[in-house]
Amino acid sequence: MKKILITGGAGFIGSHVMRLFVNKYPDYMVVNLDKLTYAGNLANLSDIEDKPNYEFIKGDIVDAPFIDQLFAEHKFDGVIHLAAESHVDRSISNPLEFVMTNVIGTVNLLNAARNEWKDNFSGHRFYHVSTDEVYGSLGETGMFTETTAYDPHSPYSASKASSDHFVRAYHDTYGLNTVISNCSNNYGSFHFPEKLIPLSINNIKNNKPIPIYGKGENIRDWLWVEDHARAIDLIYHKAKPGSTYNIGGHNEWKNIDLIQLLCKIMDKKLNRAEGESARLITFVKDRAGHDLRYAIDSSKLQRELGWLPSLQFEEGLEKTVDWYLANEEWLKNVTSGDYMNYYEEQYVKR
Ligand code: NAD
Ligand code: TYD
């Protein structure tokens, strides 16, 4: 039986990857290593927690002796590394946390893998999940390809760029069998409500202002999270050692247009008069260093591995709204306690 370590499996994307692997590969033992920060939630995995090929281990990737011990004990065949601090706004208030988890944590995993796998690098894969934000910001035209030069602007993207460089360096220097993917903004179920779409759904539901940074003209390229998980599955199994793939839905939306569409869907779902939710839109102070536009060219992934996104955005957004409305308890749990302190600092006091 193959044993795979997935880090950050209790988070948004990690929980979808975990679900896909546990259900699709009953002959793999899938180990979820997660520190359970504010963003990690075992309730995201309640449908698979009793499966015989799933194991959860609570732990911190920043703790090098613990990571070394874990690799020595478990003899993993491969790693899919998603654990990270992932929110740009939090990285602006606390950059060091991002250096610790995203850079040091990644290097700790690379060191443990290098040490454990040194006699057979080719038989062991290290997959690092990264973001399109490492490429920086686009003007009105163009798209990020795998060869676009890195140009990160936020502490979050700088920490992810740094971790990508280390992963590539461990391939080039030591011969570790690495792959990296850089994906655009994800959306879907289990998304923590600090990010634009789930935060807006929660606020609309509770009749609270929808905070739009600046003029709402920034553009993001949105991908259904389950399509990202399918891409990760393909890349993990099929990509050549040392390769990089961009993942994106070819689905650019200006923030304000996206929120207008979301308001329309929410009016319908909540039986509100047309335009009622949109009245909650409130323009607030812009994010510092706010990247204008992201757009991903994922043609390499489509051409080489045959991946295609499965859902149109309008359909995916409606499904997402339905999920949040049907999972009030989940939303209530994750927005109690610390979330309110974060919300106060980020939106009320600034
Ligand atoms: P998330 O914030 O929802 O989840 C991160 C998970 O990592 C949480 O479960 C958290 O508990 C865990 N974690 C954090 N620090 C840890 C530590 N020190 N040790 C162990 N576990 C720790 O993030 P997400 O949105 O699911 O993103 C997952 C990965 O995908 C990240 O690497 C992110 O950079 C990347 N990514 C995200 C997006 C997106 O749109 N959300 C897009 C492209 C790439
Ligand atoms: P976010 O979901 O934080 O993802 P990222 O910054 O990683 O792209 O933000 C998506 C876009 O929405 C980004 O342009 C910032 C903007 N935004 C708002 O306008 N208001 C908000 O409250 C948040 C969280 C984001």
Side-chain angles (χ1 to χ4, degrees), residues 1-3 25-30 52-53 77:
M1 196 177 203
K2 286 210 154 129
K3 201 175 219 186
Y25 301 108
D27 53 332
Y28 288 3
M29 184 67 207
V30 193
N53 63 334
D77 294 283

mmCIF file of all heavy atoms in Angstrom, residues 1-3 25-30 52-53 77:
data_model
loop_
_atom_site.group_PDB
_atom_site.id
_atom_site.type_symbol
_atom_site.label_atom_id
_atom_site.label_comp_id
_atom_site.label_asym_id
_atom_site.label_seq_id
_atom_site.Cartn_x
_atom_site.Cartn_y
_atom_site.Cartn_z
ATOM 1 N N MET A 1 0.846 -1.201 0.000
ATOM 2 C CA MET A 1 0.000 0.000 0.000
ATOM 3 C C MET A 1 0.881 1.251 0.000
ATOM 4 O O MET A 1 1.771 1.379 0.854
ATOM 5 C CB MET A 1 -0.859 -0.014 1.264
ATOM 6 C CG MET A 1 -2.022 0.928 1.220
ATOM 7 S SD MET A 1 -3.013 0.781 2.726
ATOM 8 C CE MET A 1 -4.589 1.379 2.184
ATOM 9 N N LYS A 2 0.625 2.157 -0.939
ATOM 10 C CA LYS A 2 1.393 3.412 -0.989
ATOM 11 C C LYS A 2 0.956 4.335 0.141
ATOM 12 O O LYS A 2 -0.234 4.379 0.480
ATOM 13 C CB LYS A 2 1.152 4.103 -2.311
ATOM 14 C CG LYS A 2 1.865 3.429 -3.447
ATOM 15 C CD LYS A 2 2.243 4.418 -4.525
ATOM 16 C CE LYS A 2 3.425 3.900 -5.282
ATOM 17 N NZ LYS A 2 3.370 3.853 -6.661
ATOM 18 N N LYS A 3 1.893 5.101 0.678
ATOM 19 C CA LYS A 3 1.546 6.045 1.742
ATOM 20 C C LYS A 3 1.885 7.457 1.283
ATOM 21 O O LYS A 3 3.043 7.736 0.938
ATOM 22 C CB LYS A 3 2.341 5.685 2.991
ATOM 23 C CG LYS A 3 1.722 6.221 4.256
ATOM 24 C CD LYS A 3 2.481 5.726 5.471
ATOM 25 C CE LYS A 3 1.547 5.387 6.600
ATOM 26 N NZ LYS A 3 2.236 5.044 7.832
ATOM 27 N N TYR A 25 -8.548 6.534 -4.333
ATOM 28 C CA TYR A 25 -7.434 5.578 -4.207
ATOM 29 C C TYR A 25 -7.523 4.795 -2.896
ATOM 30 O O TYR A 25 -6.742 5.049 -1.967
ATOM 31 C CB TYR A 25 -6.094 6.316 -4.294
ATOM 32 C CG TYR A 25 -5.906 7.079 -5.582
ATOM 33 C CD1 TYR A 25 -5.967 8.471 -5.610
ATOM 34 C CD2 TYR A 25 -5.685 6.404 -6.782
ATOM 35 C CE1 TYR A 25 -5.813 9.177 -6.801
ATOM 36 C CE2 TYR A 25 -5.536 7.102 -7.979
ATOM 37 C CZ TYR A 25 -5.602 8.485 -7.984
ATOM 38 O OH TYR A 25 -5.451 9.173 -9.156
ATOM 39 N N PRO A 26 -8.446 3.816 -2.823
ATOM 40 C CA PRO A 26 -8.561 3.040 -1.583
ATOM 41 C C PRO A 26 -7.287 2.254 -1.262
ATOM 42 O O PRO A 26 -7.075 1.867 -0.126
ATOM 43 C CB PRO A 26 -9.743 2.095 -1.854
ATOM 44 C CG PRO A 26 -10.041 2.182 -3.298
ATOM 45 C CD PRO A 26 -9.438 3.437 -3.831
ATOM 46 N N ASP A 27 -6.433 2.081 -2.277
ATOM 47 C CA ASP A 27 -5.175 1.362 -2.032
ATOM 48 C C ASP A 27 -4.037 2.294 -1.608
ATOM 49 O O ASP A 27 -2.900 1.853 -1.453
ATOM 50 C CB ASP A 27 -4.773 0.565 -3.283
ATOM 51 C CG ASP A 27 -4.739 1.442 -4.525
ATOM 52 O OD1 ASP A 27 -5.496 2.448 -4.567
ATOM 53 O OD2 ASP A 27 -3.955 1.154 -5.443
ATOM 54 N N TYR A 28 -4.313 3.600 -1.422
ATOM 55 C CA TYR A 28 -3.305 4.500 -0.851
ATOM 56 C C TYR A 28 -3.679 4.762 0.604
ATOM 57 O O TYR A 28 -4.861 4.983 0.908
ATOM 58 C CB TYR A 28 -3.328 5.887 -1.519
ATOM 59 C CG TYR A 28 -2.795 5.995 -2.917
ATOM 60 C CD1 TYR A 28 -2.357 4.892 -3.636
ATOM 61 C CD2 TYR A 28 -2.727 7.250 -3.518
ATOM 62 C CE1 TYR A 28 -1.880 5.037 -4.934
ATOM 63 C CE2 TYR A 28 -2.252 7.400 -4.816
ATOM 64 C CZ TYR A 28 -1.837 6.295 -5.516
ATOM 65 O OH TYR A 28 -1.376 6.446 -6.799
ATOM 66 N N MET A 29 -2.696 4.797 1.475
ATOM 67 C CA MET A 29 -2.917 5.315 2.820
ATOM 68 C C MET A 29 -2.635 6.814 2.751
ATOM 69 O O MET A 29 -1.535 7.216 2.357
ATOM 70 C CB MET A 29 -1.937 4.618 3.784
ATOM 71 C CG MET A 29 -2.138 4.999 5.222
ATOM 72 S SD MET A 29 -3.735 4.384 5.791
ATOM 73 C CE MET A 29 -4.060 5.566 7.070
ATOM 74 N N VAL A 30 -3.624 7.641 3.072
ATOM 75 C CA VAL A 30 -3.450 9.085 2.927
ATOM 76 C C VAL A 30 -3.376 9.725 4.313
ATOM 77 O O VAL A 30 -4.323 9.653 5.090
ATOM 78 C CB VAL A 30 -4.610 9.716 2.108
ATOM 79 C CG1 VAL A 30 -4.254 11.135 1.702
ATOM 80 C CG2 VAL A 30 -4.905 8.888 0.863
ATOM 81 N N PRO A 52 -10.850 3.707 6.239
ATOM 82 C CA PRO A 52 -9.658 2.987 6.715
ATOM 83 C C PRO A 52 -8.349 3.486 6.093
ATOM 84 O O PRO A 52 -7.285 3.261 6.649
ATOM 85 C CB PRO A 52 -9.938 1.538 6.291
ATOM 86 C CG PRO A 52 -11.006 1.611 5.260
ATOM 87 C CD PRO A 52 -11.787 2.850 5.510
ATOM 88 N N ASN A 53 -8.418 4.183 4.961
ATOM 89 C CA ASN A 53 -7.180 4.643 4.314
ATOM 90 C C ASN A 53 -6.883 6.120 4.611
ATOM 91 O O ASN A 53 -6.161 6.776 3.868
ATOM 92 C CB ASN A 53 -7.229 4.415 2.800
ATOM 93 C CG ASN A 53 -8.326 5.209 2.117
ATOM 94 O OD1 ASN A 53 -9.330 5.551 2.735
ATOM 95 N ND2 ASN A 53 -8.135 5.510 0.844
ATOM 96 N N ASP A 77 5.682 7.503 0.511
ATOM 97 C CA ASP A 77 6.061 7.349 -0.897
ATOM 98 C C ASP A 77 6.054 8.694 -1.614
ATOM 99 O O ASP A 77 6.724 8.877 -2.625
ATOM 100 C CB ASP A 77 5.098 6.388 -1.598
ATOM 101 C CG ASP A 77 5.235 4.990 -1.043
ATOM 102 O OD1 ASP A 77 6.207 4.327 -1.396
ATOM 103 O OD2 ASP A 77 4.389 4.587 -0.211
#
